[in-house]
Amino acid sequence: MKYSQLAELYEKLSSTTKSLEKTDILAKFLNKLKKEQDKSIIYLLKGKIFPDYDESEIGISLQLTIKALSKATGYQETKIVEEFKLLGDLGKVAELLTSSKEQSTLSSTKLTAEKVLINLRKLVEFEGKGTVEKKISLIAELLTSASPTEAKYLARTLLGNLRIGIGEGVLRDAIVVACCPKDNKAIPSKGREGSGFSWGCDEEKVKQLKEQVQEAYNTSNDFALVFEKACQGKLKEIVIDTEKPLKVMLYPKADDFQDAFDRLGKPCIFEYKYDGFRMLIHKNNNGIKLFTRRLDNVAKQFPDVVKYVKENIKAESFIIDSEAIGYDPKTKKFLPFQTISQRIKRKYDIEKLVKKLPIEINVFDILYYNGENLIKKPFEKRHEILKKIIKNDKYHLKLAEQIKTSSEKEAEEFYNKALEEGHEGVMAKSIDAPYKPGSRIGYGLKIKPQDQDFDLVIVKAEYGTGKRAGWLTSYTVACLQQDQFLEIGKVSTGLKEKPEEGLSFEEVTKKLKPLITKENGREVEVKPKIVITVTYQNIQKSPTYKSGFALRFPRFTRLRLDRNTEDITTLAEIEKEYQRANN
Ligand code: AMP
């Protein structure tokens, strides 16, 4: 497929902010993609080159892209930087400079989407010293044969910021529209409020397909595979694979115990809510993998956990859901997530860190056991299997504490015990619910003390002055609405100046700097990647921010490197919280 077809699609998609229109445009494109052999072109639609379960990232810095652009266009780097300062978007700079190239013509280029995928994938393979030149050549090769519009989107893809606002939801719906059987055509329309589709002759069938596509995606994290199977009407062939990560099930909040019983039925199971990070433990013939919520395999960083799994879980193959918590090796007191989060990304001195920050795994669910998919089985039955195969080994690996009760009083006592022991609260779980990967469906609910916090993503930041010069010290954060990030406020308190005192400006600055896509005086725009927990005193309506809300007294409390931007707080959740607090 010609890359110009993709560039044209990106242009069309960026001309509208309406999800239904985006779905329509995308579905038409997918109809063309159906005929192509290589369905992995679909990854480029989200600015990616591999399936979502793959941890490799394009990861090209602004500087390197500028160098490649200079090589491809013959313009000096200083000129490119100058234009970048003016336009604030390297994509636009690439477009401008390519259009003024002598050899540029209006006719379309020979650049193919396959070639783009090949070169970008090679970029990921190169690592270490001496690779910069090779990377620049690979990028320049693409830019040289690109039309101005193609160059714009190539540059943006390299920087990881396509700015066309399509995400999981729109892509899923477009697959439904493109692959729906002819006699059950689904047409995206503005007509029917809420549903987003005007169904053809069989509304139910299309709805089912939408669920199947979502389920297949949550199971495989691979849109190329989902698209291919959806076109063939073989989505059922996508099954759990112990080699690949799955999306975990998520839990909304309950107002209180009565609310939990009302929504989950009586009796239900209550478990301690541990304050750590989620870990999906996979075992098969090839060994043990430990996946975070971001689908990264962290087995190398956690050799201690691999050992506990071998010693304490008896089964040939499984996928087990758990929470990893850290504790102080001397006092055995549990540590907040922030302290152990450094273990997730650590590449060196791992054994030292294992001793300094030991981990206890608290197991609470099982999705696959010795060749059998368990996700449709009731929670209580899944838990019985867990009990059979897990040997409790305190401070290493054990079952999460739990009780089964119909009594609010008993549940409350259990909750108080959890808090006394230093845990975050409790999870209430329906005894007969299945497991739904990737869904915040409410088969389990979290109950914590008055937690006024949201998980938000940093979209902009500002350099400090005086003592804080050189650090990014104020962060504009955003919530999620469908596929867009909507700003909700600025956070500048909660971090430390000295790293030894806790999470510091320096550490956050280090994380943000490689993500900068635009600079404007002291303010920078960053790729929306870093998720943080922000506590606040209350929510106000505000015209200042796109979300329509602002947070009063926001405070940066956690850096959530284990979280995806797709999991952050949604605008609907913020609206609900606002209503709750003001009623
Ligand atoms: P929150 O991080 O506040 O959205 O709460 C949900 C998270 O709590 C889950 O994603 C898990 O990482 C964590 N968690 C801790 N203990 C449990 C448990 N017993 N069952 C399920 N999730 C738990």
PDB file of all heavy atoms in Angstrom, residues 248-251 271-279 293 322-323 364 400-401 424 427 429 440 446 448 451 453 455 560 563, ligand 1:
ATOM      1  N   VAL A 248      -5.485  -6.539  32.074  1.00  0.00           N
ATOM      2  CA  VAL A 248      -6.093  -6.974  33.324  1.00  0.00           C
ATOM      3  C   VAL A 248      -7.507  -6.413  33.476  1.00  0.00           C
ATOM      4  O   VAL A 248      -7.868  -5.423  32.844  1.00  0.00           O
ATOM      5  CB  VAL A 248      -5.249  -6.532  34.544  1.00  0.00           C
ATOM      6  CG1 VAL A 248      -3.920  -7.230  34.549  1.00  0.00           C
ATOM      7  CG2 VAL A 248      -5.090  -5.024  34.584  1.00  0.00           C
ATOM      8  N   MET A 249      -8.282  -7.055  34.355  1.00  0.00           N
ATOM      9  CA  MET A 249      -9.618  -6.532  34.661  1.00  0.00           C
ATOM     10  C   MET A 249      -9.439  -5.377  35.652  1.00  0.00           C
ATOM     11  O   MET A 249      -8.578  -5.427  36.529  1.00  0.00           O
ATOM     12  CB  MET A 249     -10.473  -7.633  35.278  1.00  0.00           C
ATOM     13  CG  MET A 249     -11.870  -7.208  35.613  1.00  0.00           C
ATOM     14  SD  MET A 249     -13.023  -8.594  35.715  1.00  0.00           S
ATOM     15  CE  MET A 249     -12.601  -9.304  37.295  1.00  0.00           C
ATOM     16  N   LEU A 250     -10.265  -4.338  35.481  1.00  0.00           N
ATOM     17  CA  LEU A 250     -10.134  -3.169  36.356  1.00  0.00           C
ATOM     18  C   LEU A 250     -11.363  -3.037  37.254  1.00  0.00           C
ATOM     19  O   LEU A 250     -12.403  -3.644  36.975  1.00  0.00           O
ATOM     20  CB  LEU A 250      -9.958  -1.911  35.504  1.00  0.00           C
ATOM     21  CG  LEU A 250      -8.712  -1.953  34.609  1.00  0.00           C
ATOM     22  CD1 LEU A 250      -8.762  -0.870  33.551  1.00  0.00           C
ATOM     23  CD2 LEU A 250      -7.449  -1.844  35.430  1.00  0.00           C
ATOM     24  N   TYR A 251     -11.226  -2.236  38.296  1.00  0.00           N
ATOM     25  CA  TYR A 251     -12.294  -2.179  39.307  1.00  0.00           C
ATOM     26  C   TYR A 251     -12.740  -0.745  39.576  1.00  0.00           C
ATOM     27  O   TYR A 251     -11.934   0.076  40.001  1.00  0.00           O
ATOM     28  CB  TYR A 251     -11.775  -2.791  40.618  1.00  0.00           C
ATOM     29  CG  TYR A 251     -11.147  -4.148  40.431  1.00  0.00           C
ATOM     30  CD1 TYR A 251      -9.777  -4.275  40.198  1.00  0.00           C
ATOM     31  CD2 TYR A 251     -11.917  -5.301  40.461  1.00  0.00           C
ATOM     32  CE1 TYR A 251      -9.194  -5.510  40.010  1.00  0.00           C
ATOM     33  CE2 TYR A 251     -11.342  -6.548  40.269  1.00  0.00           C
ATOM     34  CZ  TYR A 251      -9.978  -6.646  40.039  1.00  0.00           C
ATOM     35  OH  TYR A 251      -9.397  -7.864  39.844  1.00  0.00           O
ATOM     36  N   GLU A 271     -11.435  -8.749  49.833  1.00  0.00           N
ATOM     37  CA  GLU A 271      -9.999  -9.025  49.917  1.00  0.00           C
ATOM     38  C   GLU A 271      -9.270  -7.764  50.340  1.00  0.00           C
ATOM     39  O   GLU A 271      -9.746  -6.657  50.073  1.00  0.00           O
ATOM     40  CB  GLU A 271      -9.463  -9.443  48.535  1.00  0.00           C
ATOM     41  CG  GLU A 271      -9.781 -10.863  48.179  1.00  0.00           C
ATOM     42  CD  GLU A 271      -9.333 -11.219  46.755  1.00  0.00           C
ATOM     43  OE1 GLU A 271      -8.889 -10.320  46.020  1.00  0.00           O
ATOM     44  OE2 GLU A 271      -9.447 -12.392  46.404  1.00  0.00           O
ATOM     45  N   TYR A 272      -8.111  -7.925  50.923  1.00  0.00           N
ATOM     46  CA  TYR A 272      -7.278  -6.755  51.199  1.00  0.00           C
ATOM     47  C   TYR A 272      -6.944  -6.093  49.870  1.00  0.00           C
ATOM     48  O   TYR A 272      -6.705  -6.782  48.882  1.00  0.00           O
ATOM     49  CB  TYR A 272      -5.947  -7.157  51.848  1.00  0.00           C
ATOM     50  CG  TYR A 272      -6.005  -7.418  53.334  1.00  0.00           C
ATOM     51  CD1 TYR A 272      -7.211  -7.428  54.016  1.00  0.00           C
ATOM     52  CD2 TYR A 272      -4.837  -7.643  54.050  1.00  0.00           C
ATOM     53  CE1 TYR A 272      -7.234  -7.667  55.376  1.00  0.00           C
ATOM     54  CE2 TYR A 272      -4.857  -7.882  55.412  1.00  0.00           C
ATOM     55  CZ  TYR A 272      -6.062  -7.898  56.067  1.00  0.00           C
ATOM     56  OH  TYR A 272      -6.088  -8.135  57.408  1.00  0.00           O
ATOM     57  N   LYS A 273      -6.929  -4.765  49.873  1.00  0.00           N
ATOM     58  CA  LYS A 273      -6.443  -4.054  48.697  1.00  0.00           C
ATOM     59  C   LYS A 273      -5.015  -3.617  49.010  1.00  0.00           C
ATOM     60  O   LYS A 273      -4.776  -2.752  49.852  1.00  0.00           O
ATOM     61  CB  LYS A 273      -7.322  -2.839  48.387  1.00  0.00           C
ATOM     62  CG  LYS A 273      -6.848  -2.108  47.139  1.00  0.00           C
ATOM     63  CD  LYS A 273      -7.765  -0.950  46.803  1.00  0.00           C
ATOM     64  CE  LYS A 273      -7.470  -0.342  45.457  1.00  0.00           C
ATOM     65  NZ  LYS A 273      -6.093  -0.108  45.129  1.00  0.00           N
ATOM     66  N   TYR A 274      -4.090  -4.280  48.342  1.00  0.00           N
ATOM     67  CA  TYR A 274      -2.667  -4.027  48.589  1.00  0.00           C
ATOM     68  C   TYR A 274      -2.201  -2.835  47.762  1.00  0.00           C
ATOM     69  O   TYR A 274      -2.651  -2.641  46.635  1.00  0.00           O
ATOM     70  CB  TYR A 274      -1.850  -5.272  48.233  1.00  0.00           C
ATOM     71  CG  TYR A 274      -2.253  -6.474  49.050  1.00  0.00           C
ATOM     72  CD1 TYR A 274      -3.191  -7.392  48.565  1.00  0.00           C
ATOM     73  CD2 TYR A 274      -1.725  -6.670  50.318  1.00  0.00           C
ATOM     74  CE1 TYR A 274      -3.574  -8.484  49.318  1.00  0.00           C
ATOM     75  CE2 TYR A 274      -2.109  -7.758  51.091  1.00  0.00           C
ATOM     76  CZ  TYR A 274      -3.041  -8.667  50.580  1.00  0.00           C
ATOM     77  OH  TYR A 274      -3.418  -9.735  51.323  1.00  0.00           O
ATOM     78  N   ASP A 275      -1.271  -2.074  48.324  1.00  0.00           N
ATOM     79  CA  ASP A 275      -0.808  -0.868  47.637  1.00  0.00           C
ATOM     80  C   ASP A 275       0.513  -1.139  46.925  1.00  0.00           C
ATOM     81  O   ASP A 275       1.584  -0.795  47.416  1.00  0.00           O
ATOM     82  CB  ASP A 275      -0.641   0.255  48.664  1.00  0.00           C
ATOM     83  CG  ASP A 275      -0.229   1.554  48.002  1.00  0.00           C
ATOM     84  OD1 ASP A 275      -0.351   1.653  46.764  1.00  0.00           O
ATOM     85  OD2 ASP A 275       0.221   2.469  48.714  1.00  0.00           O
ATOM     86  N   GLY A 276       0.438  -1.784  45.800  1.00  0.00           N
ATOM     87  CA  GLY A 276       1.657  -2.095  45.062  1.00  0.00           C
ATOM     88  C   GLY A 276       1.409  -1.914  43.587  1.00  0.00           C
ATOM     89  O   GLY A 276       0.810  -0.919  43.189  1.00  0.00           O
ATOM     90  N   PHE A 277       1.854  -2.859  42.779  1.00  0.00           N
ATOM     91  CA  PHE A 277       1.529  -2.787  41.357  1.00  0.00           C
ATOM     92  C   PHE A 277       1.129  -4.159  40.851  1.00  0.00           C
ATOM     93  O   PHE A 277       1.515  -5.187  41.400  1.00  0.00           O
ATOM     94  CB  PHE A 277       2.684  -2.194  40.538  1.00  0.00           C
ATOM     95  CG  PHE A 277       3.925  -3.028  40.533  1.00  0.00           C
ATOM     96  CD1 PHE A 277       4.178  -3.924  39.508  1.00  0.00           C
ATOM     97  CD2 PHE A 277       4.836  -2.924  41.563  1.00  0.00           C
ATOM     98  CE1 PHE A 277       5.317  -4.702  39.514  1.00  0.00           C
ATOM     99  CE2 PHE A 277       5.983  -3.692  41.582  1.00  0.00           C
ATOM    100  CZ  PHE A 277       6.222  -4.595  40.551  1.00  0.00           C
ATOM    101  N   ARG A 278       0.294  -4.095  39.826  1.00  0.00           N
ATOM    102  CA  ARG A 278      -0.313  -5.306  39.292  1.00  0.00           C
ATOM    103  C   ARG A 278       0.716  -6.157  38.582  1.00  0.00           C
ATOM    104  O   ARG A 278       1.571  -5.643  37.853  1.00  0.00           O
ATOM    105  CB  ARG A 278      -1.376  -4.860  38.290  1.00  0.00           C
ATOM    106  CG  ARG A 278      -2.387  -5.914  37.898  1.00  0.00           C
ATOM    107  CD  ARG A 278      -3.497  -5.925  38.903  1.00  0.00           C
ATOM    108  NE  ARG A 278      -4.574  -6.814  38.501  1.00  0.00           N
ATOM    109  CZ  ARG A 278      -5.776  -6.394  38.107  1.00  0.00           C
ATOM    110  NH1 ARG A 278      -6.033  -5.118  38.027  1.00  0.00           N
ATOM    111  NH2 ARG A 278      -6.720  -7.263  37.800  1.00  0.00           N
ATOM    112  N   MET A 279       0.633  -7.461  38.769  1.00  0.00           N
ATOM    113  CA  MET A 279       1.547  -8.348  38.065  1.00  0.00           C
ATOM    114  C   MET A 279       0.775  -9.566  37.571  1.00  0.00           C
ATOM    115  O   MET A 279       0.133 -10.260  38.353  1.00  0.00           O
ATOM    116  CB  MET A 279       2.648  -8.773  39.029  1.00  0.00           C
ATOM    117  CG  MET A 279       3.903  -9.226  38.327  1.00  0.00           C
ATOM    118  SD  MET A 279       5.128  -9.742  39.525  1.00  0.00           S
ATOM    119  CE  MET A 279       6.323  -8.460  39.395  1.00  0.00           C
ATOM    120  N   ARG A 293       0.856  -3.903  34.086  1.00  0.00           N
ATOM    121  CA  ARG A 293      -0.366  -3.437  33.428  1.00  0.00           C
ATOM    122  C   ARG A 293      -0.077  -2.784  32.099  1.00  0.00           C
ATOM    123  O   ARG A 293      -0.939  -2.678  31.257  1.00  0.00           O
ATOM    124  CB  ARG A 293      -1.031  -2.420  34.354  1.00  0.00           C
ATOM    125  CG  ARG A 293      -2.383  -2.870  34.791  1.00  0.00           C
ATOM    126  CD  ARG A 293      -2.856  -1.960  35.844  1.00  0.00           C
ATOM    127  NE  ARG A 293      -3.633  -0.869  35.268  1.00  0.00           N
ATOM    128  CZ  ARG A 293      -4.360  -0.062  36.004  1.00  0.00           C
ATOM    129  NH1 ARG A 293      -4.400  -0.221  37.309  1.00  0.00           N
ATOM    130  NH2 ARG A 293      -5.046   0.902  35.456  1.00  0.00           N
ATOM    131  N   SER A 322      -2.090 -10.877  40.210  1.00  0.00           N
ATOM    132  CA  SER A 322      -1.626 -10.613  41.573  1.00  0.00           C
ATOM    133  C   SER A 322      -1.222  -9.152  41.751  1.00  0.00           C
ATOM    134  O   SER A 322      -1.148  -8.397  40.788  1.00  0.00           O
ATOM    135  CB  SER A 322      -0.420 -11.495  41.864  1.00  0.00           C
ATOM    136  OG  SER A 322       0.713 -11.018  41.151  1.00  0.00           O
ATOM    137  N   GLU A 323      -0.957  -8.806  43.005  1.00  0.00           N
ATOM    138  CA  GLU A 323      -0.430  -7.483  43.319  1.00  0.00           C
ATOM    139  C   GLU A 323       0.918  -7.658  44.016  1.00  0.00           C
ATOM    140  O   GLU A 323       1.040  -8.424  44.978  1.00  0.00           O
ATOM    141  CB  GLU A 323      -1.420  -6.746  44.242  1.00  0.00           C
ATOM    142  CG  GLU A 323      -1.026  -5.333  44.582  1.00  0.00           C
ATOM    143  CD  GLU A 323      -1.441  -4.291  43.524  1.00  0.00           C
ATOM    144  OE1 GLU A 323      -1.910  -4.682  42.431  1.00  0.00           O
ATOM    145  OE2 GLU A 323      -1.282  -3.096  43.794  1.00  0.00           O
ATOM    146  N   PHE A 364      -4.497 -13.102  43.620  1.00  0.00           N
ATOM    147  CA  PHE A 364      -5.952 -13.044  43.831  1.00  0.00           C
ATOM    148  C   PHE A 364      -6.803 -13.633  42.711  1.00  0.00           C
ATOM    149  O   PHE A 364      -8.016 -13.720  42.839  1.00  0.00           O
ATOM    150  CB  PHE A 364      -6.412 -11.627  44.170  1.00  0.00           C
ATOM    151  CG  PHE A 364      -5.963 -10.563  43.208  1.00  0.00           C
ATOM    152  CD1 PHE A 364      -6.602 -10.402  41.995  1.00  0.00           C
ATOM    153  CD2 PHE A 364      -4.918  -9.710  43.548  1.00  0.00           C
ATOM    154  CE1 PHE A 364      -6.194  -9.418  41.117  1.00  0.00           C
ATOM    155  CE2 PHE A 364      -4.505  -8.723  42.666  1.00  0.00           C
ATOM    156  CZ  PHE A 364      -5.141  -8.577  41.441  1.00  0.00           C
ATOM    157  N   ALA A 400      -4.030 -13.598  48.513  1.00  0.00           N
ATOM    158  CA  ALA A 400      -4.496 -12.365  49.158  1.00  0.00           C
ATOM    159  C   ALA A 400      -5.450 -12.748  50.290  1.00  0.00           C
ATOM    160  O   ALA A 400      -6.208 -13.714  50.169  1.00  0.00           O
ATOM    161  CB  ALA A 400      -5.215 -11.500  48.133  1.00  0.00           C
ATOM    162  N   GLU A 401      -5.382 -11.983  51.397  1.00  0.00           N
ATOM    163  CA  GLU A 401      -6.303 -12.234  52.513  1.00  0.00           C
ATOM    164  C   GLU A 401      -7.724 -12.026  52.042  1.00  0.00           C
ATOM    165  O   GLU A 401      -8.005 -11.036  51.349  1.00  0.00           O
ATOM    166  CB  GLU A 401      -6.045 -11.228  53.646  1.00  0.00           C
ATOM    167  CG  GLU A 401      -4.715 -11.329  54.316  1.00  0.00           C
ATOM    168  CD  GLU A 401      -4.552 -12.614  55.091  1.00  0.00           C
ATOM    169  OE1 GLU A 401      -5.553 -13.089  55.676  1.00  0.00           O
ATOM    170  OE2 GLU A 401      -3.428 -13.167  55.071  1.00  0.00           O
ATOM    171  N   GLU A 424      -4.323  -0.498  51.708  1.00  0.00           N
ATOM    172  CA  GLU A 424      -5.044   0.662  51.179  1.00  0.00           C
ATOM    173  C   GLU A 424      -6.542   0.649  51.441  1.00  0.00           C
ATOM    174  O   GLU A 424      -7.190   1.681  51.438  1.00  0.00           O
ATOM    175  CB  GLU A 424      -4.862   0.654  49.660  1.00  0.00           C
ATOM    176  CG  GLU A 424      -4.127   1.825  49.116  1.00  0.00           C
ATOM    177  CD  GLU A 424      -4.278   1.893  47.611  1.00  0.00           C
ATOM    178  OE1 GLU A 424      -4.195   0.839  46.932  1.00  0.00           O
ATOM    179  OE2 GLU A 424      -4.495   2.997  47.109  1.00  0.00           O
ATOM    180  N   MET A 427     -11.077  -4.818  48.416  1.00  0.00           N
ATOM    181  CA  MET A 427     -11.736  -5.018  47.137  1.00  0.00           C
ATOM    182  C   MET A 427     -12.931  -5.912  47.433  1.00  0.00           C
ATOM    183  O   MET A 427     -12.786  -6.930  48.127  1.00  0.00           O
ATOM    184  CB  MET A 427     -10.843  -5.779  46.148  1.00  0.00           C
ATOM    185  CG  MET A 427      -9.493  -5.180  45.900  1.00  0.00           C
ATOM    186  SD  MET A 427      -9.534  -3.644  44.987  1.00  0.00           S
ATOM    187  CE  MET A 427     -10.456  -4.115  43.566  1.00  0.00           C
ATOM    188  N   LYS A 429     -15.677  -8.422  45.741  1.00  0.00           N
ATOM    189  CA  LYS A 429     -15.761  -9.141  44.465  1.00  0.00           C
ATOM    190  C   LYS A 429     -16.976 -10.065  44.427  1.00  0.00           C
ATOM    191  O   LYS A 429     -17.271 -10.754  45.414  1.00  0.00           O
ATOM    192  CB  LYS A 429     -14.491  -9.964  44.250  1.00  0.00           C
ATOM    193  CG  LYS A 429     -13.256  -9.089  44.119  1.00  0.00           C
ATOM    194  CD  LYS A 429     -12.004  -9.870  43.815  1.00  0.00           C
ATOM    195  CE  LYS A 429     -10.831  -8.916  43.689  1.00  0.00           C
ATOM    196  NZ  LYS A 429      -9.558  -9.598  43.468  1.00  0.00           N
ATOM    197  N   ARG A 440     -13.467  -2.467  32.804  1.00  0.00           N
ATOM    198  CA  ARG A 440     -13.738  -1.911  34.142  1.00  0.00           C
ATOM    199  C   ARG A 440     -15.219  -2.146  34.400  1.00  0.00           C
ATOM    200  O   ARG A 440     -16.009  -1.232  34.558  1.00  0.00           O
ATOM    201  CB  ARG A 440     -13.442  -0.402  34.116  1.00  0.00           C
ATOM    202  CG  ARG A 440     -13.201   0.227  35.462  1.00  0.00           C
ATOM    203  CD  ARG A 440     -13.037   1.713  35.297  1.00  0.00           C
ATOM    204  NE  ARG A 440     -11.752   2.090  34.747  1.00  0.00           N
ATOM    205  CZ  ARG A 440     -10.645   2.252  35.479  1.00  0.00           C
ATOM    206  NH1 ARG A 440     -10.684   2.090  36.770  1.00  0.00           N
ATOM    207  NH2 ARG A 440      -9.519   2.587  34.904  1.00  0.00           N
ATOM    208  N   LYS A 446     -13.629  -1.297  44.371  1.00  0.00           N
ATOM    209  CA  LYS A 446     -12.652  -0.953  45.408  1.00  0.00           C
ATOM    210  C   LYS A 446     -13.279  -0.046  46.461  1.00  0.00           C
ATOM    211  O   LYS A 446     -14.089   0.821  46.137  1.00  0.00           O
ATOM    212  CB  LYS A 446     -11.414  -0.324  44.788  1.00  0.00           C
ATOM    213  CG  LYS A 446     -11.661   0.852  43.894  1.00  0.00           C
ATOM    214  CD  LYS A 446     -10.405   1.238  43.126  1.00  0.00           C
ATOM    215  CE  LYS A 446     -10.714   2.390  42.208  1.00  0.00           C
ATOM    216  NZ  LYS A 446      -9.730   2.625  41.180  1.00  0.00           N
ATOM    217  N   LYS A 448     -11.940   2.361  49.501  1.00  0.00           N
ATOM    218  CA  LYS A 448     -10.779   2.963  50.154  1.00  0.00           C
ATOM    219  C   LYS A 448     -11.271   4.120  51.003  1.00  0.00           C
ATOM    220  O   LYS A 448     -12.348   4.645  50.750  1.00  0.00           O
ATOM    221  CB  LYS A 448      -9.811   3.546  49.099  1.00  0.00           C
ATOM    222  CG  LYS A 448      -9.247   2.569  48.125  1.00  0.00           C
ATOM    223  CD  LYS A 448      -8.016   3.175  47.444  1.00  0.00           C
ATOM    224  CE  LYS A 448      -8.345   3.802  46.111  1.00  0.00           C
ATOM    225  NZ  LYS A 448      -7.163   4.289  45.385  1.00  0.00           N
ATOM    226  N   ASP A 451     -10.922   8.677  49.160  1.00  0.00           N
ATOM    227  CA  ASP A 451      -9.757   8.958  48.331  1.00  0.00           C
ATOM    228  C   ASP A 451     -10.103   9.977  47.261  1.00  0.00           C
ATOM    229  O   ASP A 451     -10.894   9.742  46.379  1.00  0.00           O
ATOM    230  CB  ASP A 451      -9.216   7.675  47.693  1.00  0.00           C
ATOM    231  CG  ASP A 451     -10.280   6.976  46.887  1.00  0.00           C
ATOM    232  OD1 ASP A 451     -11.465   7.199  47.189  1.00  0.00           O
ATOM    233  OD2 ASP A 451      -9.936   6.243  45.957  1.00  0.00           O
ATOM    234  N   ASP A 453      -8.506  11.204  44.676  1.00  0.00           N
ATOM    235  CA  ASP A 453      -7.398  11.250  43.735  1.00  0.00           C
ATOM    236  C   ASP A 453      -7.793  10.729  42.363  1.00  0.00           C
ATOM    237  O   ASP A 453      -8.741   9.961  42.220  1.00  0.00           O
ATOM    238  CB  ASP A 453      -6.169  10.502  44.270  1.00  0.00           C
ATOM    239  CG  ASP A 453      -6.407   9.017  44.469  1.00  0.00           C
ATOM    240  OD1 ASP A 453      -7.267   8.442  43.805  1.00  0.00           O
ATOM    241  OD2 ASP A 453      -5.708   8.430  45.304  1.00  0.00           O
ATOM    242  N   ASP A 455      -6.000   9.392  38.486  1.00  0.00           N
ATOM    243  CA  ASP A 455      -4.804   9.105  37.695  1.00  0.00           C
ATOM    244  C   ASP A 455      -4.906   9.928  36.414  1.00  0.00           C
ATOM    245  O   ASP A 455      -5.863   9.779  35.649  1.00  0.00           O
ATOM    246  CB  ASP A 455      -4.735   7.614  37.320  1.00  0.00           C
ATOM    247  CG  ASP A 455      -4.245   6.772  38.474  1.00  0.00           C
ATOM    248  OD1 ASP A 455      -3.778   7.355  39.467  1.00  0.00           O
ATOM    249  OD2 ASP A 455      -4.325   5.533  38.386  1.00  0.00           O
ATOM    250  N   ARG A 560       3.113   6.956  38.207  1.00  0.00           N
ATOM    251  CA  ARG A 560       2.591   5.599  37.962  1.00  0.00           C
ATOM    252  C   ARG A 560       3.182   5.041  36.677  1.00  0.00           C
ATOM    253  O   ARG A 560       2.516   4.990  35.643  1.00  0.00           O
ATOM    254  CB  ARG A 560       1.058   5.627  37.871  1.00  0.00           C
ATOM    255  CG  ARG A 560       0.337   6.116  39.073  1.00  0.00           C
ATOM    256  CD  ARG A 560       0.188   5.222  40.265  1.00  0.00           C
ATOM    257  NE  ARG A 560       0.446   3.828  40.178  1.00  0.00           N
ATOM    258  CZ  ARG A 560       0.023   2.947  41.075  1.00  0.00           C
ATOM    259  NH1 ARG A 560      -0.703   3.321  42.096  1.00  0.00           N
ATOM    260  NH2 ARG A 560       0.337   1.687  40.959  1.00  0.00           N
ATOM    261  N   ARG A 563       1.294   2.326  34.762  1.00  0.00           N
ATOM    262  CA  ARG A 563      -0.046   2.559  34.180  1.00  0.00           C
ATOM    263  C   ARG A 563       0.006   3.065  32.749  1.00  0.00           C
ATOM    264  O   ARG A 563       0.879   3.833  32.372  1.00  0.00           O
ATOM    265  CB  ARG A 563      -0.801   3.609  35.003  1.00  0.00           C
ATOM    266  CG  ARG A 563      -0.954   3.227  36.432  1.00  0.00           C
ATOM    267  CD  ARG A 563      -2.335   2.722  36.712  1.00  0.00           C
ATOM    268  NE  ARG A 563      -2.304   1.851  37.868  1.00  0.00           N
ATOM    269  CZ  ARG A 563      -3.002   2.037  38.963  1.00  0.00           C
ATOM    270  NH1 ARG A 563      -3.805   3.050  39.059  1.00  0.00           N
ATOM    271  NH2 ARG A 563      -2.920   1.187  39.954  1.00  0.00           N
TER     272      ARG A 563
HETATM  273  P1  AMP B   1      -6.722   1.508  41.907  1.00  0.00           P
HETATM  274  O1  AMP B   1      -5.248   1.403  41.689  1.00  0.00           O
HETATM  275  O2  AMP B   1      -7.060   2.407  43.040  1.00  0.00           O
HETATM  276  O3  AMP B   1      -7.500   1.750  40.663  1.00  0.00           O
HETATM  277  O4  AMP B   1      -7.180   0.043  42.413  1.00  0.00           O
HETATM  278  C1  AMP B   1      -7.170  -1.096  41.629  1.00  0.00           C
HETATM  279  C2  AMP B   1      -5.850  -1.821  41.745  1.00  0.00           C
HETATM  280  O5  AMP B   1      -5.671  -2.364  43.060  1.00  0.00           O
HETATM  281  C3  AMP B   1      -5.759  -3.069  40.884  1.00  0.00           C
HETATM  282  O6  AMP B   1      -5.462  -2.747  39.542  1.00  0.00           O
HETATM  283  C4  AMP B   1      -4.649  -3.854  41.550  1.00  0.00           C
HETATM  284  O7  AMP B   1      -3.399  -3.433  41.014  1.00  0.00           O
HETATM  285  C5  AMP B   1      -4.714  -3.404  42.998  1.00  0.00           C
HETATM  286  N1  AMP B   1      -5.109  -4.466  43.970  1.00  0.00           N
HETATM  287  C6  AMP B   1      -4.605  -4.578  45.212  1.00  0.00           C
HETATM  288  N2  AMP B   1      -5.147  -5.602  45.866  1.00  0.00           N
HETATM  289  C7  AMP B   1      -6.025  -6.207  45.024  1.00  0.00           C
HETATM  290  C8  AMP B   1      -6.908  -7.329  45.131  1.00  0.00           C
HETATM  291  N3  AMP B   1      -7.016  -8.051  46.232  1.00  0.00           N
HETATM  292  N4  AMP B   1      -7.664  -7.621  44.034  1.00  0.00           N
HETATM  293  C9  AMP B   1      -7.590  -6.892  42.906  1.00  0.00           C
HETATM  294  N5  AMP B   1      -6.776  -5.818  42.753  1.00  0.00           N
HETATM  295  C10 AMP B   1      -6.000  -5.472  43.794  1.00  0.00           C
END
